[in-house]
Amino acid sequence: MLDRLRAARGPQIGVGFGLGALFGFLLDKSGVTRFDVIAGQLLLEDFTVLKVMMTAALVGMIGVYGMRARGWARLHPKPGSWGATGLGGLLFGVGFALLGYCPGTVAGAVGHGALDALFGGAVGMLIGSGLFAALYPAIRARVLERGAFPALTLPELLGAPPRLVVPAAAAVLAALLVAIEWAGL
């Protein structure tokens, strides 16, 4: 089903744009595009960001594996490396700590008019992307390909079928969400 959409570039761009706009709208409505909510998460005072991310993981996991089970979609996990993960995590963390937004919430914050997200986040991402592109040939072999690991899904990593792992992981996430809410966090 999704192979036909992938083959048609125009509708693919339209669906991608529409889903991206919906995602930004929902991020903004959930409050995670606001600096005080993100700062509250970093200070362990407001767990809205964690609850939104866990809910997104839960819904996404069930949706992706549901589509896969019906033959509508295929998974394309990408291999990784400890070098790329470490460098990316470090840059993400520094940017998040300095600005109070991640790349996804920057776009949503710009959408609702946050000037700090526009100049610090959007402009910073453009400059950072340009620097990464310029440095890519020099850091590719030295950093980004160090400690390569294969592309594995959670069921593949655990050596268990998705029909067992997905419901179990969904139950754990749902229980954690209920516990966080029950604790009033």
Side-chain angles (χ1 to χ4, degrees), residues 36-82:
D36 57 330
V37 173
I38 295 171
Q41 178 64 65
L42 295 174
L43 296 170
L44 303 179
E45 295 172 349
D46 180 350
F47 286 78
T48 301
V49 175
L50 181 63
K51 289 187 278 188
V52 167
M53 292 177 71
M54 288 175 63
T55 302
L58 180 65
V59 171
M61 177 177 57
I62 292 170
V64 165
Y65 276 97
M67 288 191 297
R68 183 175 179 231
R70 285 167 181 75
W72 297 351
R74 292 184 311 254
L75 296 179
H76 303 279
K78 304 285 185 220
S81 74
W82 292 113

Side-chain angles (χ1 to χ4, degrees), residues 17 24 43 57 60 62 79 91-92 94 98-99 118 138 154:
F17 181 80
L43 296 170
I62 292 170
L91 291 172
F92 181 92
V94 168
L98 289 174
L99 189 62
L118 175 63
L154 185 59

Side-chain angles (χ1 to χ4, degrees), residues 96-145:
F96 198 35
L98 289 174
L99 189 62
Y101 297 107
C102 72
T105 57
V106 160
V110 169
H112 79 240
L115 293 178
D116 59 333
L118 175 63
F119 294 108
V123 173
M125 286 191 308
L126 290 173
I127 293 171
S129 298
L131 284 172
F132 179 77
L135 294 174
Y136 183 80
I139 64 173
R140 181 177 173 193
R142 289 186 204 151
V143 178
L144 301 178
E145 295 178 350

Side-chain angles (χ1 to χ4, degrees), residues 1-13 74:
M1 177 176 162
L2 295 179
D3 288 334
R4 282 186 283 155
L5 177 62
R6 185 172 296 153
R9 187 164 174 77
Q12 182 183 19
I13 291 172
R74 292 184 311 254

